[in-house]
């Protein structure tokens, strides 16, 4: 069971959460081709524009940023703003896109929601509408063909190759409520200007500090370099956290906990817990788990800026850990029990 402000409610896990709402929907209806930009015959096709954009970001992060630093160097302002924007855009994804929009783990005032969605736009991971619909499909079809980041296809596919392909599946049917949220739709319509504002901000700050060179340096480190790092840290959740790590809560899918991924993703590395209890506002439920995203949500609740925080009770967590331990033990038993000879 999950607890919302002291009362219990049924927890919508994968099938209930992402598919259950479809039972009362006409599957033949669509909510926009932009969420279905795939081949109609079921085959995946390459997304040339996305490949080009990602190649530009990657080359900037791996070549442009070090090269500029070698020639001109970076100021303390460049490094400070890069760190600040990494945290802001990262929290826009972890708190905004994932826990607030995709899983509805808490509620907040509209202006707080707008702030998180603007921050998420600066991560260059698409609008919350598209991101959350894909995420809902992930939970509903994890490790299956419709899983957008299917780790069964290998590290590189789940890390970034999936991103280069147009999906042939009807993604929007997994999260039909997204279209009913006016703020989500506002951010979707204005996603490109919002993204560009996140790239213009470091340039303008750097320009005000040290002219054109200062603007370019701040743009390279706090703009292009920061986006490259945020993208790949997020991708590690789809790849690393489905290939390596522990499975303390469930062995029903490939999700795994990875403490070091939590360090770079602001708490998203406790992924086995997340797949077992997807609506919990915490990914790391224990006090010593490094989960800055849950700390932010909890702090907002204390300030009266977040409410309805969903937490799964400790009793269920203990039972799931026990089941997972038993399942692991059974897997290690020999196929045939040797017979005793007297």
């Amino acid at each position: 069971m999950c607890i919302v402000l002291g009362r219990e409610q049924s927890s919508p896990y994968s099938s209930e959460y992402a598919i259950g709402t479809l039972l009362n929907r006409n599957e033949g209806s669509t909510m926009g081709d932009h969420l279905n930009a795939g081949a109609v015959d079921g085959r995946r096709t390459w997304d040339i524009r996305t490949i080009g954009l990602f190649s530009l970001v990657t080359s900037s992060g791996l070549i442009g940023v070090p090269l500029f630093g070698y020639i001109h160097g970076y100021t303390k302002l460049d490094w400070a703003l890069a760190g600040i924007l990494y945290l802001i855009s990262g929290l826009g994804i972890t708190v905004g896109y994932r826990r607030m929009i995709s899983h509805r783990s808490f509620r907040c005032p509209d202006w707080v929601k707008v702030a998180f969605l603007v921050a998420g736009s600066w991560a260059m991971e698409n609008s919350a509408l598209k991101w959350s619909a894909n995420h809902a499909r992930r939970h509903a079809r994890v490790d299956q063909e419709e899983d957008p980041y299917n780790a069964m296809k290998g590290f590189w596919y789940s890390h970034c190759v999936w991103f280069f392909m147009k999906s042939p599946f009807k993604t929007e049917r997994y999260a039909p409520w997204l279209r009913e949220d006016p703020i989500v739709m506002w951010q979707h319509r204005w996603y490109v200007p919002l993204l560009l504002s996140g790239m213009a901000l470091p340039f303008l700050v750097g320009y005000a500090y040290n002219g054109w060179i200062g603007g370019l340096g701040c743009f390279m480190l706090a703009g292009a370099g920061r986006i490259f790092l945020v993208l790949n840290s997020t991708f590690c959740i789809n790849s690393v956290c489905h290939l390596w790590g522990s499975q303390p809560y469930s062995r029903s899918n490939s999700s795994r906990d990875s403490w070091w991924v939590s360090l770079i993703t602001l708490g998203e590395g406790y992924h086995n817990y997340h797949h077992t209890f997807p609506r919990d506002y915490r990914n790391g439920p224990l006090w010593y788990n490094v989960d800055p995203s849950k700390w932010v949500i909890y702090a907002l609740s204390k300030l009266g800026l977040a409410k309805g925080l969903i937490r799964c009770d400790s009793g269920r967590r203990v039972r799931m850990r026990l089941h997972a331990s038993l399942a692991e033990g059974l897997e290690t038993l020999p196929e045939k029990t040797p017979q005793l000879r007297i």
Side-chain angles (χ1 to χ4, degrees):
M1 302 292 286
C2 283
I3 301 174
V4 184
L5 296 179
R7 59 186 175 83
E8 293 184 348
Q9 71 169 31
S10 60
S11 173
Y13 299 114
S14 297
S15 59
E16 296 175 53
Y17 168 69
I19 303 177
T21 55
L22 303 178
L23 298 178
N24 297 322
R25 301 271 178 165
N26 179 0
E27 293 194 7
S29 63
T30 60
M31 296 161 59
D33 292 338
H34 54 281
L35 290 179
N36 286 327
V40 294
D41 59 2
R43 294 179 298 178
R44 297 177 185 270
T45 57
W46 294 105
D47 189 333
I48 303 302
R49 289 187 299 178
T50 298
I51 293 174
L53 180 60
F54 187 77
S55 299
L56 179 61
V57 171
T58 301
S59 59
S60 297
L62 295 179
I63 301 174
V65 171
L67 184 61
F68 186 94
Y70 178 77
I71 297 174
H72 297 284
Y74 293 109
T75 66
K76 292 180 180 179
L77 174 66
D78 299 335
W79 288 105
L81 190 59
I84 292 171
L85 289 180
Y86 183 94
L87 291 175
I88 291 175
S89 56
L91 289 171
I93 296 298
T94 62
V95 176
Y97 279 25
R98 188 185 300 268
R99 306 190 195 192
M100 179 177 63
I101 300 301
S102 299
H103 293 290
R104 297 180 288 182
S105 300
F106 68 98
R107 302 187 307 277
C108 62
D110 287 348
W111 70 268
V112 176
K113 181 185 289 189
V114 168
F116 276 117
L117 294 192
V118 170
S121 303
W122 293 354
M124 196 183 279
E125 296 187 18
N126 226 320
S127 68
L129 178 67
K130 291 186 177 183
W131 197 102
S132 299
N134 254 337
H135 191 71
R137 176 155 69 98
R138 187 330 125 74
H139 276 270
R141 295 289 187 252
V142 61
D143 298 334
Q144 302 175 39
E145 182 60 28
E146 282 193 63
D147 181 350
Y149 338 114
N150 192 351
M152 301 297 100
K153 297 183 178 182
F155 170 81
W156 285 112
Y157 180 89
S158 59
H159 191 75
C160 60
V161 172
W162 69 270
F163 197 58
F164 305 153
M165 297 180 178
K166 297 177 181 180
S167 173
F169 302 110
K170 294 184 179 297
T171 299
E172 80 280 356
R173 69 193 180 103
Y174 292 103
W177 64 85
L178 292 173
R179 284 277 180 172
E180 300 170 4
D181 189 323
I183 296 178
V184 169
M185 296 308 300
W186 168 82
Q187 190 247 14
H188 178 70
R189 288 191 296 270
W190 291 93
Y191 170 72
V192 173
L194 291 172
L195 167 63
L196 294 177
S197 72
M199 301 177 70
L201 177 62
F203 174 81
L204 294 175
V205 172
Y207 179 81
Y209 178 73
N210 194 29
W212 287 101
I213 291 297
L216 185 57
C218 208
F219 170 81
M220 290 299 297
L221 192 61
R226 182 262 312 170
I227 287 175
F228 172 75
L229 292 177
V230 172
L231 281 173
N232 280 278
S233 66
T234 302
F235 292 164
C236 282
I237 303 167
N238 302 329
S239 56
V240 174
C241 288
H242 279 266
L243 294 170
W244 302 290
S246 61
Q247 294 183 300
Y249 295 98
S250 175
R251 301 176 67 83
S252 62
N253 57 67
S254 64
S255 62
R256 287 165 165 78
D257 282 359
S258 174
W259 65 267
W260 70 265
V261 173
S262 281
L263 297 180
I264 63 174
T265 59
L266 308 177
E268 295 296 323
Y270 302 102
H271 207 52
N272 187 247
Y273 182 86
H274 175 63
H275 270 265
T276 308
F277 309 103
R279 289 202 70 192
D280 197 321
Y281 83 95
R282 309 159 301 173
N283 267 17
L286 304 177
W287 68 268
Y288 55 82
N289 292 148
V290 180
D291 187 356
S293 297
K294 80 174 177 185
W295 301 336
V296 169
I297 297 171
Y298 183 77
L300 289 174
S301 72
K302 290 302 181 181
L303 294 172
L305 298 177
K307 58 184 179 180
L309 279 61
I310 296 178
R311 301 182 300 273
C312 289
D313 66 88
S314 58
R316 181 169 176 81
R317 293 205 311 269
V318 170
R319 290 194 297 272
M320 294 304 293
R321 288 185 72 98
L322 178 61
H323 292 163
S325 298
L326 290 174
E328 182 179 13
L330 290 174
E331 289 179 1
T332 61
L333 291 176
E335 294 185 2
K336 293 183 179 180
T337 303
Q339 295 182 353
L340 296 177
R341 294 185 179 182
I342 301 177

